[in-house]
Structure formats: structure tokens, C-alpha cells
Amino acid sequence: MLRRNIRILYLIRFATACIPAYVIERLFWEQRGMTIQDVIYAEIVFALTLVVLEIPFGLMVDRFGRKMGMIIGTLFECLSFIVLLHAFSLSSFLIAMVLAGIGTAAISGTEDALLYESMQQTGAGDRFEQTVGRMNAVGLGTAGGAALMGAWLAQSFDLITHYYMSFCFLVCAVLASCLLSDTHSAPQSTERTNDSGWYRLVKNPSFLRIVSFTVMFGTTITFLDEFWQLYVRDQGIAVSWFGIILISLMMAQGIGNLLPKPTGPCTVLCYLLLLYMSGILLLAVMDGSWSLLVLIGIFLIYGWSEPVLTTLLQDCLPDERRATGSSTVSFVESLATMAVGLGFGHISQAIGLNGAYFYLGLTGLLLGLGMMFVLRIRGK
């Protein structure tokens, strides 16, 4: 039964990534009367929902089981699309973002915990990182295919068609979640949970180190992912190339997901983090189409870091706090993204996007050098 979980999780990842609505999302929202400022409000509501619910859902899933978290997550994603199909006001879109935030918070940490425990209990734990990389690559490939399909559909069909198709795929994800087998054992006593839970988690040097790496990689890639179109446009590259560039970035990230794990991953992560942040600094000072190679390289490095960090995190977490620990990392990353976003937005308004990327890369480079210094002192 637990071996079947892995196949079902692949299916869920495919279904939740095959969302043709995402490629025309802003156009659809504009048709329904949403302004740019309204979109910003919706994104803030989504982020706040994640911040509030990440850790509570982790605690719930650790106590009551992983399957429940997956079902709740995919179900609320479905509900958000039902609301979007009938949304014509800001309040309706905000409700949809709250529902989507609940779904994301429920799945966050749950999926990795379920996959890790399923593989450990079936004797395939040594292939966890490889499986995570393949699953991420499947998600990226599916999302790219869905984007191409959505762009083609937009030429002949009304934009609401994309949302009906996306809703059908999410219904498949809900049904697939119901077929999962739970891996979580019965909860331990309250005293044991309190002693070995939060205190041990936040005092664990490995956990804190993984949080630092994840936050630095994840926060910076968010701003590259959100604003690469504006950056590429400023380099004088025509919009007609944007589709090819998007596919190239997805392929680079997917290839990175499939690269093998090195020996001494923390030291290698430090060096790659320095290279990654140096790449962002290069983006800030480069002109012309050659900067695209740097951008692709950055996504390749980020893609490599994803399964490595996921594996390191799952290896250092106790079973009774596995989902909670993963949710805590996502919680910290969300807070960091919001905090960094304030500086990024202010600098981009004052001196432009290149200046904001310079700020992002320089800050990350200094933090990476600090982490390397600490690791060398401790002999890690």
C-alpha cells in the first residue's frame, strides 16, 4: 500500500501542476474588473494566510495523519477555483485567495513528509532525494506544457475555459488524495511531544542551517521568478521570445532537480550559494542577451538545491515533528520574502530593477560568506 503512495503523489503533482489558467490569470482577472492594486491586495491576503496557517497545519498533520492534510489541501484548492469561476468583485477574489492559501498551507510539509515516510517504511529511503528531484521535474514539465496549452486555447476559446479545465485537474487531485495510505503512527504522549518537539527542533544546528539555506535560495528565486519578464524586456529582448525563455528556465530548474547529491552537501551548498548570489549580482550589472545565460544558470543552481535541502531537512527531523518542521521552514521563508520585498520594492522604485537585484545579490553574498565562515570554524 505504501509503495502505491509514491505513484499517487506523482499523479497529484501532475494534476496540481497541469493548470492552464495560470498562463492567462492576470488577463482573466482584468476581465473581471481587477486592477493591479487589487491583485497586490490579493497576493498580500494569500501570503498572510500562509503565514498564519503554515505551522498550525503542520501540527495538525503531525497529530492526525498525512492523508488528511493532502485531502484538505487539494480540496481547498478546488474550492478556490469554484469561487474564481463566479468572482466579479474584489471581495470574491480575496475569498478565493484565502481558500488557496489554506490549501497551500495544508499541503506544505505534508507532501514531503508522506513521501519520506512511505519510502523509509518500504526500504527505499536512500532514493528519496532522487525521487524528490524527479517529482519536481515532473511538476515543472507539466506546468510548462499547461502554459503552452493555455496560450493555444486563449486564441480560440473564452478565458473561463482555462478555469474549467484547471478545476477538473484539481478534482482529480482530490480523488487521488483519497486513495493515499497514511504513514503516521499513533501520537505519542503530551509530555514526550513537548520535550522532543519545538525545543529540540529550534535547538538543532542542522535544522537551523537548513532553514538558512532554504530561506536564502527560496527568497531570492521568488523575485527572479516574479520579475524576470521586466528584466528581460529591459535588456532589449522582444516579447516574442518570452515563451522560449520561460521553457528554458523551467528546463534548467528541472535538470538541476535531477543532478546527483554530492558528498559533504553543506560545504557544497555554501559554494553554490556564493556562485548563485554572484550570478544575481552579474544580472544587475550586465546588459544584452548574454545575461540570459546567467539567468538560466541561476535557475539550474536553484533546481539542484531543492531536492538536496528537502532530503537534509527530512533526515534531521523527528517523526513526531516532521510536517511541523517542514511547515516552519515555509513559514520563515514567507516572512523573509515579505521583509525582503519591502526593501526590493523601495529600491526598484528609486533606482530601478537592476539596483534591486544588486541589493538582493549583495545581501545574499554577504550572508553566504558569513555561513561559510561559521561552518569552517565548526569544522563542518
Side-chain angles (χ1 to χ4, degrees):
M1 295 293 287
L2 294 180
R3 292 184 184 276
R4 190 180 66 175
N5 276 356
I6 301 171
R7 295 192 292 271
I8 295 174
L9 287 172
Y10 269 108
L11 176 60
I12 293 172
R13 180 64 67 90
F14 172 83
T16 53
C18 194
I19 309 295
Y22 287 156
V23 74
I24 51 88
E25 185 176 34
R26 293 295 170 258
L27 298 176
F28 178 80
W29 286 34
E30 186 179 57
Q31 280 187 359
R32 296 295 181 95
M34 291 284 283
T35 65
I36 293 177
Q37 190 64 45
D38 291 336
V39 173
I40 293 173
Y41 290 146
E43 293 294 338
I44 290 174
V45 167
F46 177 80
L48 289 176
T49 304
L50 283 180
V51 168
V52 171
L53 294 179
E54 284 273 17
I55 294 178
F57 265 116
L59 291 168
M60 183 197 74
V61 170
D62 276 328
R63 182 167 181 81
F64 298 107
R66 319 302 190 201
K67 180 177 178 179
M68 177 184 294
M70 294 298 297
I71 293 175
I72 291 174
T74 52
L75 179 60
F76 272 87
E77 288 282 357
C78 272
L79 293 177
S80 72
F81 270 74
I82 292 176
V83 174
L84 287 172
L85 285 168
H86 302 90
F88 288 92
S89 64
L90 175 60
S91 59
S92 298
F93 280 93
L94 293 183
I95 291 172
M97 289 300 98
V98 170
L99 294 173
I102 294 172
T104 302
I107 293 176
S108 174
T110 306
E111 184 182 41
D112 288 337
L114 181 61
L115 177 63
Y116 183 85
E117 291 171 355
S118 295
M119 297 190 72
Q120 287 290 334
Q121 294 176 27
T122 55
D126 57 332
R127 298 200 300 271
F128 174 73
E129 183 197 338
Q130 184 182 41
T131 303
V132 169
R134 288 177 177 175
M135 195 172 291
N136 289 341
V138 166
L140 288 167
T142 304
L148 293 175
M149 179 173 62
W152 175 78
L153 287 171
Q155 301 176 23
S156 306
F157 297 90
D158 190 81
L159 297 184
I160 199 171
T161 304
H162 298 66
Y163 279 79
Y164 279 116
M165 291 184 64
S166 302
F167 173 73
C168 291
F169 281 111
L170 288 174
V171 170
C172 292
V174 176
L175 297 176
S177 298
C178 294
L179 299 177
L180 289 167
S181 301
D182 223 328
T183 60
H184 192 44
S185 57
Q188 302 177 16
S189 67
T190 304
E191 182 180 358
R192 171 72 181 275
T193 301
N194 288 338
D195 290 341
S196 63
W198 281 110
Y199 182 80
R200 241 174 48 187
L201 201 60
V202 299
K203 293 294 183 180
N204 186 341
S206 297
F207 176 73
L208 297 178
R209 192 160 52 240
I210 293 165
V211 171
S212 300
F213 277 122
T214 303
V215 168
M216 283 192 281
F217 275 112
T219 300
T220 48
I221 201 66
T222 296
F223 295 99
L224 289 169
D225 194 37
E226 288 289 335
F227 298 106
W228 69 262
Q229 298 96 332
L230 300 180
Y231 176 82
V232 168
R233 181 201 62 190
D234 293 344
Q235 303 307 307
I237 298 171
V239 177
S240 58
W241 287 93
F242 279 22
I244 295 175
I245 294 171
L246 176 60
I247 296 298
S248 299
L249 296 179
M250 285 185 169
M251 286 181 62
Q253 189 174 341
I255 291 170
N257 284 157
L258 299 176
L259 292 177
K261 177 181 175 181
T263 56
C266 284
T267 302
V268 176
L269 276 169
C270 267
Y271 283 113
L272 282 179
L273 181 64
L274 296 181
L275 182 61
Y276 174 86
M277 294 301 177
S278 299
I280 298 176
L281 281 175
L282 273 178
L283 287 181
V285 299
M286 287 184 71
D287 289 317
S289 56
W290 285 106
S291 60
L292 287 179
L293 295 179
V294 177
L295 188 63
I296 290 171
I298 290 171
F299 274 79
L300 177 69
I301 294 173
Y302 174 75
W304 182 89
S305 74
E306 284 185 291
V308 174
L309 286 170
T310 300
T311 303
L312 291 174
L313 176 63
Q314 296 300 321
D315 284 344
C316 80
L317 290 175
D319 289 342
E320 68 273 11
R321 289 298 183 193
R322 190 170 303 284
T324 305
S326 298
S327 295
T328 301
V329 175
S330 297
F331 169 79
V332 175
E333 187 177 336
S334 297
L335 287 180
T337 301
M338 294 171 66
V340 172
L342 295 175
F344 188 91
H346 178 74
I347 294 173
S348 63
Q349 288 288 335
I351 59 176
L353 186 59
N354 280 27
Y357 279 148
F358 188 85
Y359 143 79
L360 197 65
L362 182 61
T363 303
L365 189 61
L366 293 175
L367 289 173
L369 288 171
M371 284 191 66
M372 179 168 285
F373 179 72
V374 170
L375 285 176
R376 283 189 176 277
I377 288 179
R378 294 184 176 182
K380 300 294 183 181

